[in-house]
Amino acid sequence: MNSIDVISMGLRNMWRRKTRTILTVLGVIIGTSSIVIMLSLGIAMNENFKKEVESMGSLNIIEVSRNYGMREGGSTKEVKLDDKAIAKIGAIEGVEAVTPLEFTYWKFGAGKYVGHVSVIGIDTKVMDKFNFEIEEGRLLDESDTNAVVFGSYIPEMFYNPKSSYYYDSSSSVKLISDKLIMTMNMDYGERRSRQSSSNTEKLPEYKVKGVGILKQSAGETDYNAYMNIKYLKKIQEESNRARSRNSRGWDYGESSSDSYNNAMVKVKDINNVKEVQEKIKDMGFNAFSLTDILESMQKTSASIQAILGGIGAVSLLVAALGITNTMIMSIYERTREIGVMKVLGAELGSIRRLFLFEAGLIGFMGGILGIGFSLAVSLILNKAGLSLGNFFGYMGEGSKVSVIPLWLMLASVAFATLIGLVSGYYPARRAMKLSALEAIKTE
Amino acid sequence: MIGGDIIESIITIKDVSKIYRVGTEKVVALECINLEIPKGEICCILGTSGSGKSTLLNLMAGLERPTTGSIVIKGKNIEKMSENGLARFRQKNVGFIFQSYNLLPSLTALENVSLPLVFRGVSKKIRNQRAKKLLEQVGLGTRMNHKPNQMSGGQQQRVGIARAFVANPDIIFADEPTGNLDSKTTVEIMNLITNLARENNQTLIIVTHDVNIAKYADRIVYIFDGNIKKIEKTVKVEGEVI
C-alpha cells in the first residue's frame, strides 16, 4: 500500500467523522496554544529581563575593583591593581580590552555656566572597545590628554550661577566649542557671597577641551564624563597637594600614578564572561558583571516558565488522551472494515500506518491551528497587556507580555504531531493486532 | 481421490485438525481432514452449521492456523507463514466473496473493487481501469460511483464478486455467497461466479449449507462433525438449467 493511498484513505476516514475529528483537533489546539502562550509569557519575561539588564550597561563588561583585604575566607593580603595587573588581566583568554578606571569629581566652567561633573579616567587607547557610542564629535584616542567626552545628560547639569533660576537655559551650553575650565574648587564661578575660604591658596584650574558627547544609553554613561586617566590622575594629584597644604596636613589621598582602585574589562564573547570573571577573582580582585544579575533573573524566569509550561502541558496531555480515545473509538467502529482489509491482503504495516497517519494528522493540524490561535492571543495580550500596565512586572517601554519566537512555533507543531503519533500508537497497534476472523464474523 | 485423473492440485490439506479451547473444554471443529483440490476446479464444501465447513475455509485462507497437519497452497506451507507473509499471500493468490458482502461503506463501488489492488500498491490509473472492467463484467457498469448503501443486496454482492476477481487470483473463496439473497438473485450470482472462474481457469471454493448451490460445483465435499463424510462428483447434464 503506497503512501498516497494511505494518505487519501486516512483523510477520507477523518472526513467521514468530521465532528469527532474537529473536536479532537480542537482539544489539541487548546493544548498546543496553552503551552505556547504560557511559554511565550516566560520568554517575554526573559527578554524583558535581558533588555532591562542591558540598559544598565553592557553584558560583556566586567567591573573589577581592588580588594581591600576583605576577601571572604579571611585572607588579608591585598593585591595591587597596577599596570602590571591590568596587563595580566588583558592577557586572559577571551578578554578584548581592559582599562583602569579612576572616579573623580570636578567643577566645570563653560563661559557663564558651571556644573558639577563626575569624571572617569580611562585608557584612551581602548575607549572605542567599550561600547561607547558617540552622538556628536568623537571618542577619545591615544593622543588625547586634556580632551573630555561627556555623557548625554551632562549639558543639562550646567547652570548659570548668576541667574536667579537655578537651572537656567542649560541647552545653551556648548561643551564642544566653548572653552572649558576644570577644577577641584567647588566654589568656582559661584557668586562671591558663597565663596567661603578666600584666603586659602587657589586650587589649580585646568583648561580642557570637549571633543564629544555620547549617545543617550539609559545607563550610567549618561551621567559621566571621560578623560585620559594618566592626565586625570596628574591633575588630581596636583589639586590634592594644593588642598593638603590648605588644610595643613590633612591628607587627601596619596595615590601612586600606576595604582588604581577600579578597572573595566570587555570580554569578546558573552558566554565567556563568567569564566573570565572567575579568573579575575582568582587574581585577588573583586569582579562584577551584569551577567550575575541576569543569571539570577533568568533562574527566576526559568522556574516561572517551568510552572507556566507545566500548566500548559496538562491541557496538552488531556488532548493526547482525547486523540487516543478518538482513535480507539474509531477502531471499534471500523473493526469490520479493518478485518475486511486484512482478509483482502492489507499488510500489518499498512494498517498501522493508516492509523498512525490519522492520529499524527490530528496532532499536526492541532499544532498548526494552535500556533495560529496562539499568535492571535499573543497579539491581543500584547495590545491589552501594555495598557494593563505592569501586570507581570518588569515592563519597560516597548516590552511585550508575550513573545512567540519562530523556534517555538516549529517546535510546538513538531511536538503536537509527535503527541498525535504517540497517542495513536496504542490504537494503531490494536488495529494491527485485531483478529481478521473475529472482525468479519457475521452476527 | 480425484478419480484417477492426474491433475496438478493447487491446495493440499493433510491430516488437518482444529481444536478450540473454550474455557477448560476442548471443542473439536475439524478432526482429521485430508483433501486435495486441483487447479481450476469448482469445489463445494457442503455441511450444516457447526459442521466445521467454515473453519476449513478459514484454515485454507490462512485466517486461522490448524492445530495439527499441514496445508500446502501453490507449493507453500501456509500454516508456517508469518502473519505478514499470509497477508501478502492473500494479496497475490486469494480472492474472497462473503455472505454479508463486507464492502467498505465509505467507498464507492469502484473504490471497493479496487481495494485489493490498493494493498498491492498498484497505481490508481491501472487499478481503476481494471476495476471498471470487472464492474462491467458483473453488470454494474452504470453504478460505479454508487456507495454500498445505495445498492440492493444483489448489486452489493456483484461488487463483492468484482472485488474478489479484480486482482486475478488463482483461488477464490466464497463463504455462503448467496446466503442473504433471494432465490432469483441466487441463480444470477452463482452463474456469474462460476462463469468468471471458468473463464480464467481459477479455482473456486464455495462453502455452503445449501444443496442447490452445490450443484454448480464440479465436486462436492460433504462435511459432517469435523470430518469429510464423502466426496462426490456432480454429473453435468448438457443444457441443464438450474
Side-chain angles (χ1 to χ4, degrees), chain A residues 220-234:
Chain A
E220 58 178 11
T221 57
D222 287 341
Y223 302 95
N224 294 322
Y226 295 88
M227 275 190 95
N228 184 328
I229 190 166
K230 290 262 152 53
Y231 180 75
L232 189 67
K233 279 187 85 94
K234 198 185 89 190

Side-chain angles (χ1 to χ4, degrees), chain A residues 99-102 104 106 108 117-125 127 132 140-141 144-150 180 182-183 206-211 224-233 235-236:
Chain A
T99 173
L101 296 175
E102 193 67 35
T104 60
W106 300 80
F108 272 71
V117 178
S118 81
V119 180
I120 297 175
I122 65 164
D123 186 348
T124 52
K125 249 191 315 218
M127 186 176 188
F132 289 106
L140 299 174
D141 61 40
D144 286 315
T145 50
N146 63 341
V148 191
V149 168
F150 294 97
L180 302 178
M182 189 177 161
T183 177
Y206 301 93
K207 281 185 187 142
V208 292
K209 56 175 197 277
V211 296
N224 294 322
Y226 295 88
M227 275 190 95
N228 184 328
I229 190 166
K230 290 262 152 53
Y231 180 75
L232 189 67
K233 279 187 85 94
I235 64 172
Q236 188 184 23

Side-chain angles (χ1 to χ4, degrees), chain A residues 170-184:
Chain A
S170 57
S171 56
S172 59
V173 174
K174 296 196 172 53
L175 292 173
I176 292 186
S177 52
D178 284 352
K179 279 180 183 159
L180 302 178
I181 296 293
M182 189 177 161
T183 177
M184 284 242 173

Side-chain angles (χ1 to χ4, degrees), chain A residues 1-2 5-6 8-9 12-13 16 336-350 432-437 439-443, chain B residues 20 58 63-64 83-84 87-88 90-91 96 98-100 102-108 111-112 115-116 118-124 127 147 163:
Chain A
M1 202 170 171
N2 62 40
D5 289 323
V6 170
S8 79
M9 201 178 263
R12 192 194 290 262
N13 280 326
R16 217 160 99 203
R336 173 172 285 262
E337 218 169 282
I338 296 163
V340 172
M341 280 163 58
K342 280 187 144 186
V343 172
L344 295 183
E347 286 164 49
L348 299 181
S350 300
M432 190 178 91
K433 292 241 163 130
L434 197 127
S435 157
L437 197 59
I440 59 161
K441 238 180 206 165
T442 25
E443 324 40 65
Chain B
Y20 293 105
N58 293 337
L63 297 173
E64 273 185 291
E83 207 175 329
N84 254 332
R88 276 190 288 272
R90 284 197 293 270
Q91 232 175 58
F96 267 95
F98 303 95
Q99 176 177 4
S100 46
N102 278 331
L103 304 178
L104 301 199
S106 60
L107 304 184
T108 62
E111 286 161 336
N112 263 301
L115 203 56
V118 169
F119 299 135
R120 276 200 194 184
V122 176
S123 80
K124 192 163 184 167
R127 66 182 193 237
K147 294 266 172 78
R163 182 176 67 184

Side-chain angles (χ1 to χ4, degrees), chain A residues 156-359:
Chain A
E156 285 162 36
M157 293 174 177
F158 278 78
Y159 58 95
N160 184 352
K162 310 232 164 36
S163 159
S164 45
Y165 301 108
Y166 198 67
Y167 286 102
D168 173 43
S169 58
S170 57
S171 56
S172 59
V173 174
K174 296 196 172 53
L175 292 173
I176 292 186
S177 52
D178 284 352
K179 279 180 183 159
L180 302 178
I181 296 293
M182 189 177 161
T183 177
M184 284 242 173
N185 179 8
M186 293 301 151
D187 296 331
Y188 173 84
E190 302 290 343
R191 274 180 276 199
R192 279 265 163 242
S193 58
R194 292 179 62 178
Q195 290 205 359
S196 50
S197 50
S198 48
N199 58 339
T200 54
E201 186 187 337
K202 214 177 151 201
L203 289 172
E205 293 168 3
Y206 301 93
K207 281 185 187 142
V208 292
K209 56 175 197 277
V211 296
I213 292 179
L214 296 174
K215 222 176 235 171
Q216 191 177 325
S217 70
E220 58 178 11
T221 57
D222 287 341
Y223 302 95
N224 294 322
Y226 295 88
M227 275 190 95
N228 184 328
I229 190 166
K230 290 262 152 53
Y231 180 75
L232 189 67
K233 279 187 85 94
K234 198 185 89 190
I235 64 172
Q236 188 184 23
E237 271 160 42
E238 277 172 23
S239 303
N240 279 344
R241 270 200 296 277
R243 255 204 293 192
S244 299
R245 281 196 292 279
N246 287 345
S247 54
R248 297 179 193 287
W250 181 262
D251 191 355
Y252 274 93
E254 193 75 38
S255 52
S256 62
S257 62
D258 75 330
S259 178
Y260 313 100
N261 288 327
N262 299 85
M264 188 160 72
V265 177
K266 163 106 182 260
V267 181
K268 256 185 226 126
D269 186 349
I270 207 159
N271 299 318
N272 290 338
V273 171
K274 202 90 208 123
E275 203 180 311
V276 172
Q277 198 177 341
E278 279 312 308
K279 279 184 183 154
I280 293 171
K281 276 184 181 164
D282 288 344
M283 286 169 70
F285 302 113
N286 293 325
F288 168 80
S289 68
L290 288 171
T291 322
D292 294 347
I293 299 182
L294 188 65
E295 231 166 53
S296 72
M297 279 179 159
Q298 274 169 342
K299 251 180 221 162
T300 315
S301 80
S303 56
I304 293 173
Q305 266 191 68
I307 293 167
L308 293 177
I311 294 169
V314 169
S315 41
L316 192 58
L317 182 71
V318 174
L321 294 177
I323 296 177
T324 308
N325 188 39
T326 301
M327 294 313 291
I328 290 177
M329 289 288 287
S330 169
I331 286 164
Y332 277 131
E333 273 172 19
R334 280 147 77 181
T335 299
R336 173 172 285 262
E337 218 169 282
I338 296 163
V340 172
M341 280 163 58
K342 280 187 144 186
V343 172
L344 295 183
E347 286 164 49
L348 299 181
S350 300
I351 306 236
R352 187 173 53 200
R353 257 158 67 212
L354 188 63
F355 280 85
L356 277 181
F357 169 77
E358 285 179 36

Side-chain angles (χ1 to χ4, degrees), chain A residues 385-433:
Chain A
L386 284 182
S387 58
L388 271 175
N390 297 358
F391 183 65
F392 282 102
Y394 298 111
M395 298 254 305
E397 240 171 283
S399 61
K400 288 179 168 176
V401 182
S402 154
V403 172
I404 304 177
L406 185 66
W407 69 261
L408 182 60
M409 294 188 214
L410 298 179
S412 52
V413 172
F415 189 61
T417 311
L418 184 73
I419 287 283
L421 291 176
V422 170
S423 319
Y425 183 76
Y426 166 71
R429 219 179 131 71
R430 193 160 155 167
M432 190 178 91
K433 292 241 163 130

